[in-house]
Amino acid sequence: MLLPLLLLSAAGFTVLTTEFILVGLLPSLARDLGVSVSQAGLLVTLFAFAVAASGPFLTAYFSRFERKRLFIVVLLLFAASNAVAAMAPNLGVMAFARLIPALGVPVFWALASETAVDLAGQERAGRAISVISFGVICATVIGVPTGTLIADAFGWRAAFVALSIASLLKATLLFVFLPDSRMDKPQVKLSQQFRVLRDPRVSGHVLLSVLLFTGMFTAYTYLADMFERLAGFNGSVVGWALMAFGAVGLIGNTLGGRIVDRNPLAASMIFSVPMALGLVLVVPSIHSLPLFAATLALWGVTQAALFPVSHVRVMKSAPEAPAFAASLNISGANLGIGVGAIVGGRVIDAIGVGGLGYAAAAIVGVSVLVGVVLMSAGERPEPVEAVDCTS
């Protein structure tokens, strides 16, 4: 069981690094393409909105395909799109290069998550998702900071070249070592998968993910800019600071994976409240390095924990169609990422980078209220024998 999970986690690292790489490249990319940081931030919005709009439909359609071949094709598309991004002469071509992988993210992440849960069993879903999410956290611990350091040394285009090569290598690893999946389970029809949208609790859980990720990425999208303009870090220091921020996320990923199986909704509240506190304290703590480091650690741990927590929470709200539910969470999260990038850009234009933490904390506070409403409504009981759409 462990080897397939680790292979998917490694592939997920490349997939999610491709999505989040712009967090560390925005300042240099904006300067090179002759646009503002907030304009370049719209590339994050484009990627996220494309994922949000296409995720449920593409996942529902491609859930019938053999997993190994599907994952390999997705990674080959990532290799091609990152190569185009490396050569982009303007913002328009870069936007096109970012659109292609955006269509592959929800398909890969939703079906890899379902595969992980199938291998581990529902009672260990959180831990299985945390193994896959390890690749997501490594994308922030290693991928984004390394991309920033590469950009500082060789230019931001070199970071996309490295991602293109990594995508090819991961596709090769999956081809050689990932076992073929057998189509031995009953398929759930598209109409049955979309039927889960009629349940208001499922919609409520997706709304909670939208709000949480909007709050997260209102600030996180511009974290490199915050390091440069508020803390006065140079390019190489920004890369190491992003690596430290992501490194503490490994703790959060482990905590989230262990706690979520007990009570997914309560786990969301446990991590959301301290994350809001960390966001509020970012600017006031910036002139004291120890306090600033502690604040970033609080933010990093709680944000990382909410990745697997949110994913498992939504999947368990619709046990009859877990892959489709996973795609709904991915769409909701990416809608939040896109809106967060827009909100963060507007905050920067209106009141400056220093207002990002406060705006993000306010949105997370709204998500806590939604969580309280969902808790008061009660959880939907899981069926004794859930129908799975894994192939």
Side-chain angles (χ1 to χ4, degrees), residues 71-202:
F71 294 154
I72 290 172
V73 169
V74 168
L75 285 168
L76 292 177
L77 286 174
F78 271 64
S81 62
N82 283 320
V84 173
M87 299 181 288
N90 53 52
L91 198 63
V93 175
M94 176 60 72
F96 172 75
R98 298 292 292 168
L99 180 62
I100 299 172
L103 301 179
V105 165
V107 174
F108 178 90
W109 183 234
L111 296 179
S113 300
E114 186 195 39
T115 301
V117 172
D118 282 342
L119 289 169
Q122 283 291 334
E123 68 283 356
R124 295 174 62 87
R127 296 192 182 189
I129 295 297
S130 71
V131 173
I132 302 296
S133 296
F134 185 77
V136 179
I137 305 305
C138 284
T140 60
V141 175
I142 301 172
V144 173
T146 300
T148 305
L149 293 173
I150 291 173
D152 184 62
F154 305 105
W156 61 268
R157 297 178 188 278
F160 283 104
V161 171
L163 267 178
S164 182
I165 295 172
S167 299
L168 288 173
L169 289 175
K170 299 299 171 58
T172 302
L173 285 174
L174 292 184
F175 177 77
V176 175
F177 295 109
L178 187 69
D180 293 331
S181 61
R182 296 185 339 194
M183 308 286 283
D184 57 356
K185 290 189 177 181
Q187 297 292 299
V188 177
K189 296 180 180 179
L190 292 179
S191 59
Q192 290 177 294
Q193 295 184 58
F194 280 97
R195 195 175 298 161
V196 303
L197 294 172
R198 299 177 184 176
D199 189 331
R201 289 186 181 86
V202 175

Side-chain angles (χ1 to χ4, degrees), residues 21 80 115 139 161 229 279 298 305 319 338 354 363:
I21 189 71
T115 301
V161 171
R229 291 206 265 175
L279 288 165
L298 178 62
I363 298 169

Side-chain angles (χ1 to χ4, degrees), residues 10-11 29 77 81 91 116-117 137 160 179 194 206 216 223 230 235 260 263 285 302 333-334 356 365 386:
L29 183 147
L77 286 174
S81 62
L91 198 63
V117 172
I137 305 305
F160 283 104
F194 280 97
V206 174
M216 288 181 199
L223 185 57
L230 295 181
V260 68
N263 190 322
S285 68
T302 52
N334 277 275
L356 289 173

